[in-house]
């Protein structure tokens, strides 16, 4: 029987986990810091945030996905968080059928960092924050490229890192590490056409492909066997033909001196 | 019969297209001054740029995906390949993020901290020298390139003496450093630090008051402070616009709050101001390194943090104590399991704010690893920065943003 492999998360997993293992959690501390407290009070006037806590020294605010523009606008204009240093998503499709989107903000005047998080369903779109933070232009494109999350009212929502005709979204947990079918044949399909897949075959497609039955490639250097012979049979003696070539000297193992250690 | 354009073979790299009154020029992705695989699609009116589309992704290796499929220690050498000019800065940013996630940031021994800071500042000097060399070469000053690479070579020799590698160091580990400084290393460093200020003076003598250099750099690539904030600029791109923010000073990590150094700021906002900052930052790095030498001598010889559930015990313990050996075996084969949670750790790399966002679900593999590389936004800003400039300035602006494609495409 083949071992069961979940289809919704094909990423690498630990091969052994103790059955009584319970992973510890980083505590979600309550907000004690004065600056963060003031920010939260100010934010509460503009939007209804769901939850706020401190994790490893940074404030995390969880909001509703439809409030993202209002929240970020308020944080920028009223609280001084004027740099969006990072934003992206986390794939929780296997667990909850949702993406978690996070915005990492920085207030340079207060030396504080905030992470604003929200969740959306797989086929939902999120509103673009590009009008507030110009840097979201490329981050949202990257998020779309990697997760396939649509962003409403984005000025130029195209793939950024992958080619524009790429199939699939690489950072989803369902995307295999060695690429899916379309990824493996991408170059062949593009240069020769789909009908050439059979003619070219996986050996020719992948320059790093090493066949164990191959008898005449670099993988078997010094262990060459006759063509099409069993690779485990006795290696063939390779004659060197350019013995009398000008300025070259054939390496002879018998004459070579083997030193015990490096100087 | 119409004659073929005789210039065509000499511009193989540039594809010309005409579209109404504007011309579309394809700059790269194999252009020597694009600092890697940057493809710029420029819409030009005569010599002036009307629109610019930076096209990236030619060096995309899926590092974030790799980070989700490797145990934490396994991923560390991969980070070398991001900003390959200053590999230790990446190693350190990753190590710091994992240490914060594990909560063992304070357990890192003092000697390891001092060595890490030495490596980081040495890498900053290497990176800035490399930047100056290539930038000057792009703008047309050949000899600066040769001088800078000579000094950079000495710094790389120091790195090689320490960790054996010149470019991809992996010299920082999660929880400390693997090796102590070899005997005589500090003397070599001292000699280097004595020589370098004179060399910086030499570069400045060649460039600072050079008429051509000033004409090519002044008033070129002006980033107003508002634009720098909008585009999440960091590092010298931010301080070149008159905003004083250095993560080493504002959110200190390691022992940066114990050493004395200044943050140079320029409100010129142009490429020339940024050039001045790079020169001054090298001097500040020298200053930090000079203070670190006596600090090193006062430390205890311990190098790795003591956190047996996450970090392997020292070699002596592994070889003599059964339980340490078992823990080491589990950590190597299965990997450490950080607590469930997430962390974002920013550091000041030579290019700007380099941060790792790690989401852990308690597994030995990160659930999500987002790498915040400064060059990504410094490339994005080109689409707002380039319009209005002339084609010849494109090379200067790309140079002064100090982008490196290993970390843009990741």
């Amino acid at each position: 029987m083949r071992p069961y492999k979940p289809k919704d998360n094909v990423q690498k997993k630990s091969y052994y986990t103790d059955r009584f293992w319970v992973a510890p959690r980083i505590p979600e501390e309550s907000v004690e810091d004065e600056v963060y407290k003031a920010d939260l009070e100010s934010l509460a006037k503009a939007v209804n945030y769901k939850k706020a806590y401190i994790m490893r020294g940074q404030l995390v605010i969880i909001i509703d996905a439809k409030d993202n523009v209002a929240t970020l606008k308020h944080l920028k204009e009223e609280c001084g968080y004027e740099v969006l240093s990072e934003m992206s998503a986390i794939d929780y499709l296997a667990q909850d059928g949702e993406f978690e989107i996070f915005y990492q903000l920085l207030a340079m005047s207060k030396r504080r960092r905030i992470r604003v998080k929200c969740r959306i369903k797989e086929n939902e779109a999120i509103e673009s924050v590009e009008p507030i933070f110009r840097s979201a232009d490329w981050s949202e494109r990257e998020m779309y490229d990697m997760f396939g999350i649509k962003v409403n009212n984005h000025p130029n929502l195209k793939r950024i890192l992958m080619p524009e005709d790429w199939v699939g979204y690489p950072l989803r947990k369902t995307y295999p590490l060695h690429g899916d079918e379309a990824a493996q044949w991408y170059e062949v399909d593009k240069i020769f056409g789909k009908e050439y897949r059979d003619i070219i075959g996986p050996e020719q497609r992948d320059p790093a492909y090493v066949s164990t039955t191959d008898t005449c490639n670099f993988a078997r250097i010094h262990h060459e066997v006759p063509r099409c012979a069993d690779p485990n049979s006795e290696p063939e003696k390779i004659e060197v033909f350019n013995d009398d070539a000008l300025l070259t000297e054939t390496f002879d193992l018998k004459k070579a001196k083997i030193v015990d250690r490096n100087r | 019969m119409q004659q073929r354009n005789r210039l065509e073979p000499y511009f193989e790299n540039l594809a010309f297209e005409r579209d109404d009154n504007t011309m579309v020029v394809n700059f790269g992705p194999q252009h020597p001054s694009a600092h890697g695989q940057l493809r710029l699609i420029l819409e030009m009116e005569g010599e002036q740029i009307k629109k610019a589309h930076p096209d990236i992704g030619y060096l995309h290796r899926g590092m974030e995906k790799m980070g989700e499929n490797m145990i934490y220690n396994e991923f560390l050498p991969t980070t070398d390949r991001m900003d390959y000019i200053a590999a230790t800065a990446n190693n350190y940013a990753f190590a710091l993020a994992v240490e914060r996630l594990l909560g063992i940031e304070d357990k890192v021994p003092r000697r390891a901290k001092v060595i890490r800071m030495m490596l980081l500042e040495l890498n900053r000097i290497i990176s800035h020298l490399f930047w100056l060399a290539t930038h000057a070469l792009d703008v047309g000053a050949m000899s600066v390139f040769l001088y800078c690479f000579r000094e950079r070579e000495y710094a790389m020799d120091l790195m090689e003496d320490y960790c054996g590698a010149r470019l991809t160091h992996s010299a920082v580990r999660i929880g400390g450093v693997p090796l102590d400084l070899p005997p005589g290393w500090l003397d070599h460093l001292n000699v280097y630090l004595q020589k370098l200020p004179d060399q910086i003076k030499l570069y400045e003598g060649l460039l600072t008051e050079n008429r051509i250099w000033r004409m090519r750099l002044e008033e070129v690539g002006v980033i107003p402070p508002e634009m720098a904030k909008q585009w999440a600029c960091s590092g010298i791109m931010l301080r070149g616009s008159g905003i004083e923010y250095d993560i080493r000073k504002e959110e200190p990590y390691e022992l940066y709050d114990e050493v004395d150094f200044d943050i140079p700021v320029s409100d010129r906002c142009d490429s020339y101001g940024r050039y001045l900052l790079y020169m001054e930052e090298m001097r500040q790095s020298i200053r930090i390194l000079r203070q670190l030498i006596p600090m090193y001598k006062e430390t205890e010889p311990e190098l790795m943090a003591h956190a047996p559930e996450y970090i392997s015990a020292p070699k002596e313990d592994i070889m003599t104590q059964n339980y340490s050996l078992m823990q080491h075996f589990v950590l190597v084969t299965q990997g450490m399991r950080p607590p469930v949670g997430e962390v974002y750790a920013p550091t000041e790399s030579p290019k700007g704010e380099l941060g790792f966002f790690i989401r852990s679900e308690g597994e030995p593999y990160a659930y999500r690893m987002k790498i915040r590389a400064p060059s990504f936004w410094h490339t994005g800003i080109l689409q707002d920065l380039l319009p209005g400039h002339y084609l010849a300035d494109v090379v200067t602006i790309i140079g002064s943003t100090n982008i490196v494609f290993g970390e843009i495409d990741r």
Side-chain angles (χ1 to χ4, degrees):
Chain A
M1 215 168 77
R2 273 179 299 147
Y4 171 72
K5 283 203 180 115
K7 294 274 186 300
D8 51 6
N9 185 353
V10 294
Q11 302 307 299
K12 206 163 169 186
K13 285 180 202 70
S14 182
Y15 72 92
Y16 173 76
T17 302
D18 191 284
R19 56 189 285 216
F20 299 113
W21 166 258
V22 178
R25 307 187 77 87
I26 300 178
E28 297 176 358
E29 298 155 31
S30 59
V31 186
E32 306 288 343
D33 186 77
E34 288 301 321
V35 182
Y36 279 147
K37 254 187 184 167
D39 291 338
L40 276 179
E41 273 166 28
S42 161
L43 182 65
K45 286 174 207 153
V47 285
N48 249 340
Y49 63 87
K50 287 181 183 164
K51 201 175 163 193
Y53 55 86
I54 302 268
M55 185 174 269
R56 291 281 188 247
Q58 288 178 9
L59 178 62
V60 182
I61 303 174
I62 295 170
I63 56 161
D64 208 57
K66 62 178 192 305
D67 291 336
N68 69 335
V69 175
T71 310
L72 264 61
K73 203 178 174 92
H74 185 87
L75 286 172
K76 184 186 179 186
E77 282 162 10
E78 306 297 323
C79 307
Y81 289 87
E82 45 194 3
V83 177
L84 175 70
S85 49
E86 176 65 289
M87 67 149 296
S88 194
I90 308 175
D91 178 345
Y92 282 113
L93 292 180
Q95 292 92 324
D96 319 313
E98 286 176 333
F99 287 112
E100 187 172 274
I101 296 173
F102 65 89
Y103 300 90
Q104 183 77 39
L105 301 169
L106 163 68
M108 286 193 283
S109 51
K110 299 192 271 191
R111 303 178 186 182
R112 289 292 189 284
R113 287 174 192 272
I114 277 188
R115 187 160 50 248
V116 177
K117 301 205 292 183
C118 58
R119 285 197 168 213
I120 56 164
K121 292 258 180 287
E122 187 180 0
N123 295 320
E124 277 175 358
I126 188 129
E127 187 65 27
S128 172
V129 296
E130 193 269 342
I132 312 168
F133 297 106
R134 190 79 180 85
S135 60
D137 182 355
W138 273 31
S139 315
E140 281 172 350
R141 273 178 74 184
E142 196 192 344
M143 184 172 77
Y144 165 72
D145 189 1
M146 291 295 147
F147 292 94
I149 298 171
K150 298 268 192 323
V151 183
N152 287 340
N153 299 327
H154 187 278
N156 179 24
L157 192 65
K158 284 200 298 191
R159 284 189 184 267
I160 186 164
L161 292 173
M162 308 305 285
E164 266 171 49
D165 53 353
W166 194 259
V167 181
Y169 300 104
L171 273 180
R172 285 195 183 189
K173 295 285 173 190
T174 46
Y175 197 88
L177 189 62
H178 51 81
D180 58 6
E181 180 87 9
Q184 286 172 359
W185 292 100
Y186 178 78
E187 274 135 335
V188 170
D189 287 357
K190 198 158 177 159
I191 299 168
F192 302 103
K194 253 188 184 157
E195 61 277 15
Y196 274 79
R197 281 188 184 187
D198 291 339
I199 300 167
I200 289 167
E203 307 86 1
Q204 305 289 333
R205 175 196 73 203
D206 185 1
Y209 185 90
V210 178
S211 162
T212 49
T213 56
D214 184 9
T215 54
C216 51
N217 263 333
F218 286 109
R220 303 191 58 80
I221 228 159
H222 295 308
H223 296 279
E224 292 93 343
V225 294
R227 202 176 178 83
C228 304
D230 175 26
N232 296 323
S233 59
E234 200 58 29
E236 194 182 44
K237 181 141 175 44
I238 304 285
E239 293 293 332
V240 181
F241 298 110
N242 61 348
D243 223 6
D244 52 349
L246 198 64
L247 295 174
T248 60
E249 209 172 301
T250 313
F251 172 69
D252 185 358
L253 189 65
K254 278 175 207 141
K255 280 189 209 157
K257 189 180 160 196
I258 297 169
V259 291
D260 304 333
R261 60 184 199 85
N262 240 333
R263 259 188 303 145
Chain B
M1 201 181 88
Q2 202 185 359
Q3 271 223 302
R4 278 170 62 83
N5 183 355
R6 288 199 299 142
L7 279 175
E8 199 178 87
Y10 299 100
F11 288 100
E12 285 168 343
N13 201 27
L14 304 175
F16 293 100
E17 265 173 53
R18 245 191 124 79
D19 188 17
D20 297 336
N21 278 332
T22 59
M23 180 163 62
V24 179
V25 176
N26 181 34
F27 182 98
Q30 302 294 345
H31 196 281
S33 65
H35 287 233
Q37 269 58 42
L38 171 65
R39 181 175 170 220
L40 268 178
I41 303 159
L42 303 170
E43 221 178 285
M44 326 220 4
E45 210 174 273
E47 281 272 289
Q48 207 175 27
I49 295 158
K50 290 282 148 203
K51 234 180 195 178
H53 284 285
D55 185 12
I56 61 170
Y58 290 90
L59 202 60
H60 181 226
R61 293 151 294 179
M63 283 205 177
E64 288 167 10
K65 188 80 171 172
M66 285 156 82
E68 291 168 16
N69 287 278
M70 286 183 182
I71 63 174
Y72 290 91
N73 278 321
E74 215 178 347
F75 184 63
L76 194 117
T78 317
T79 58
D80 281 339
R81 276 80 184 165
M82 278 167 35
D83 175 5
Y84 39 80
I85 309 297
T88 300
N90 304 315
N91 300 152
Y92 176 70
F94 175 65
L96 179 74
V98 178
E99 281 159 17
R100 249 182 222 171
L101 184 68
L102 301 172
I104 58 165
E105 205 189 341
D106 309 328
K107 291 186 187 169
V108 177
R110 199 174 157 83
R111 176 165 288 192
K113 284 185 175 174
V114 173
I115 294 175
R116 282 171 168 201
M117 275 176 70
M118 282 180 176
L119 299 179
L120 285 174
E121 292 308 315
L122 204 55
N123 263 265
R124 198 178 305 276
I125 292 173
I126 291 175
S127 171
H128 285 5
L129 283 172
F130 185 90
W131 170 82
L132 183 65
T134 50
H135 184 37
L137 188 66
D138 289 345
V139 176
M142 181 76 195
S143 46
V144 181
F145 172 79
L146 299 169
Y147 289 128
C148 286
F149 262 58
R150 185 182 58 192
E151 303 319 316
R152 179 170 173 263
E153 206 64 15
Y154 293 144
M156 301 242 283
D157 285 346
L158 283 171
M159 284 307 299
E160 192 183 1
D161 280 352
Y162 175 68
C163 65
R166 294 167 67 78
L167 215 57
T168 49
H169 309 132
S170 296
V172 171
R173 296 294 145 83
I174 298 163
V177 286
L179 299 160
D180 205 349
L181 297 178
W185 196 84
L186 284 178
D187 301 331
H188 293 310
L189 178 68
N190 224 339
V191 173
Y192 181 66
L193 293 182
Q194 269 161 16
K195 275 188 193 161
L196 193 58
D198 290 339
Q199 296 300 324
I200 295 174
K201 256 184 219 147
L202 173 75
Y203 315 141
E204 288 187 332
L206 284 166
L207 293 175
T208 307
E209 293 304 326
N210 186 324
R211 206 144 42 99
I212 306 169
W213 181 253
R214 291 190 76 142
M215 278 162 71
R216 294 289 312 262
L217 263 70
E218 275 176 337
E219 305 294 319
V220 168
V222 176
I223 304 176
E226 194 43 43
M227 186 176 171
K229 281 183 202 160
Q230 277 279 336
W231 268 104
C233 283
S234 48
I236 286 181
M237 290 282 278
L238 185 70
R239 296 192 285 275
S241 298
I243 302 166
E244 189 176 350
Y245 198 82
D246 187 312
I247 297 166
R248 289 177 294 171
K249 208 73 163 180
E250 310 290 333
E251 301 160 76
Y253 47 92
E254 297 301 291
L255 306 172
Y256 278 112
D257 45 355
E258 290 181 30
V259 289
D260 213 24
F261 64 104
D262 296 327
I263 306 297
V265 183
S266 158
D267 47 14
R268 295 180 61 105
C269 304
D270 60 356
S271 302
Y272 189 73
R274 269 167 254 147
Y275 152 75
L276 294 176
L277 292 190
Y278 276 104
M279 306 310 273
E280 189 52 37
E281 273 216 352
M282 276 197 268
R283 291 214 181 83
Q284 295 302 328
S285 288
I286 296 171
R287 203 170 140 200
I288 296 174
L289 280 168
R290 285 212 174 114
Q291 296 170 51
L292 286 173
I293 294 173
M295 276 166 83
Y296 171 83
K297 288 170 182 158
E298 289 159 11
T299 52
E300 299 293 313
E302 210 184 345
L303 288 175
M304 288 291 269
H306 178 71
E309 61 212 299
Y310 302 126
I311 312 282
S312 288
K315 190 82 177 168
E316 296 88 77
D317 289 2
I318 294 173
M319 300 306 262
T320 52
Q321 291 170 30
N322 196 9
Y323 197 71
S324 293
L325 176 67
M326 284 155 64
Q327 275 182 324
H328 176 65
F329 178 77
V330 171
L331 285 174
V332 168
T333 54
Q334 296 180 24
M336 62 176 89
R337 290 166 190 267
V340 179
E342 59 198 20
V343 73
Y344 174 76
T347 60
E348 184 78 23
S349 92
K351 309 269 184 305
E353 178 186 330
L354 175 66
F356 277 73
F357 171 87
I358 300 175
R359 168 81 208 179
S360 157
E361 292 285 327
E363 290 284 307
Y365 304 96
Y367 193 77
R368 174 87 170 100
M369 172 117 43
K370 180 82 185 81
I371 305 163
R372 192 258 188 238
S375 297
F376 185 77
W377 282 272
H378 296 171
T379 315
I381 201 173
L382 289 178
Q383 50 184 327
D384 288 356
L385 190 57
L386 288 181
H389 283 93
Y390 292 93
L391 184 61
D393 294 336
V394 172
V395 173
T396 313
I397 293 172
I398 294 174
S400 90
T401 51
N402 194 9
I403 50 180
V404 56
F405 266 74
E407 69 175 10
I408 295 171
D409 295 341
R410 301 184 293 281

